[in-house]
Amino acid sequence: MEQSAWAEISALIEAAPYPVEVLPVDAERGASCLGVLGVTERSWLGAVVANSGGLVVDHGWLRVLGGGHDGLPDVVEAMPESGGLVVAFDVMGGQFVWGRPQPGAAPTVNYFGPEDLVWQDLERGYGDWLHAMLAGALTGFYEGLRWPGWENEVAAVALDNGIDTFPPPWTAEGKDLSQVSRKAVPLGELVSVHHDAARQLDG
């Protein structure tokens, strides 16, 4: 039997400095995703897909996609037409996509967030990125997008929802999230709003 990376990931989850919930997965659905992706449980991505419906990290701020769960798509369902692989969303409508920045290069995780509406190459492969997210990097990564008491507010948001703010975070008026209006909206809608805003500002 092949060795799974899940034991290593589980150890990180147990030692994480913030809560991490492992969502249950339907075994058949997870196996189907593995087949489509062409990976095995020896890889970190394969282990997450086969052993979890997803990982809910830091009170639900980050939702790492796995084999799918109620309210959370699996990694295959979330695959964009433009290529790459959506591996996570955050509650603010940010996206993490794993793909090749250029032909022949090693795939890295890229982040598109509501603060600046641009793609940022995090220069980490999937395993290195997930290790960092589970080991505590979330706190510094999102320092500018949090407000006092966010933990309880975010924990109450459903997995298929995100938090929309007005004024939005990419405006000067929306930078202080303790002073903006916040409401839960469908996550897919929130992600689309950010990408539409980026196209309009670009064009």
Side-chain angles (χ1 to χ4, degrees):
M1 185 176 178
E2 68 179 10
Q3 186 175 6
S4 173
W6 185 245
E8 190 176 357
I9 296 170
S10 295
L12 268 175
I13 290 172
E14 287 295 321
Y18 27 64
V20 181
E21 179 185 0
V22 179
L23 300 174
V25 64
D26 177 80
E28 289 187 12
R29 186 176 178 184
S32 175
C33 286
L34 288 183
V36 173
L37 296 171
V39 298
T40 71
E41 287 190 53
R42 286 177 295 180
S43 70
W44 277 47
L45 175 62
V48 170
V49 167
N51 293 279
S52 79
L55 306 177
V56 182
V57 186
D58 204 358
H59 304 86
W61 188 281
L62 179 69
R63 298 94 182 263
V64 178
L65 303 187
H69 185 74
D70 290 344
L72 205 62
D74 61 51
V75 289
V76 174
E77 286 178 313
M79 194 180 298
E81 294 180 6
S82 57
L85 195 70
V86 179
V87 294
F89 295 101
D90 61 48
V91 74
M92 303 303 290
Q95 262 184 313
F96 292 88
V97 174
W98 187 41
R100 298 183 187 280
Q102 54 190 4
T108 55
V109 174
N110 290 256
Y111 177 68
F112 182 91
E115 277 187 292
D116 49 18
L117 303 179
V118 297
W119 284 103
Q120 176 187 0
D121 186 348
L122 304 183
E123 300 181 347
R124 295 176 182 265
Y126 178 86
D128 286 344
W129 165 78
L130 184 57
H131 187 288
M133 294 295 101
L134 294 176
L138 229 62
T139 304
F141 190 80
Y142 286 110
E143 186 177 10
L145 274 175
R146 290 179 164 175
W147 59 94
W150 66 266
E151 295 93 339
N152 291 335
E153 190 172 337
V154 169
V157 176
L159 290 178
D160 56 356
N161 280 0
I163 294 178
D164 185 31
T165 65
F166 186 81
W170 64 83
T171 64
E173 298 81 7
K175 294 301 183 188
D176 183 353
L177 272 80
S178 67
Q179 301 298 315
V180 302
S181 67
R182 302 183 298 271
K183 66 176 180 178
V185 299
L187 186 56
E189 177 184 305
L190 183 57
V191 172
S192 294
V193 165
H194 294 329
H195 284 284
D196 288 346
R199 284 189 288 268
Q200 290 171 21
L201 292 171
D202 232 11

